[in-house]
Amino acid sequence: MLHSMSTTVEIASDRSADEVNEEIRALWRRSGGTLSVEQREEYQRLVLEWAAAAPPSEKAA
């Protein structure tokens, strides 16, 4: 029996971009500079969360 994984990314965070950024930095510190497959997936999730939490760029205005 095969199970399909959802490719939908759900981004729901009450955290600030700074908080998410600190978690990204901590992930890189823990990894020693090389991310495993699981860590890459976590990194991608965190980057999307960070982008959603970051204020819009003034360049876009």
Side-chain angles (χ1 to χ4, degrees), residues 10-47:
E10 293 182 26
I11 302 171
S13 178
D14 293 329
R15 301 189 296 171
S16 70
D18 288 339
E19 290 172 308
V20 179
N21 188 39
E22 185 53 41
E23 189 171 342
I24 291 169
R25 290 174 184 267
L27 174 63
W28 278 106
R29 283 191 298 270
R30 286 191 312 272
S31 75
T34 303
L35 298 176
S36 69
V37 172
E38 293 83 13
Q39 289 169 322
R40 267 186 252 143
E41 290 170 357
E42 181 180 1
Y43 174 75
Q44 290 174 347
R45 180 189 59 78
L46 289 168
V47 168

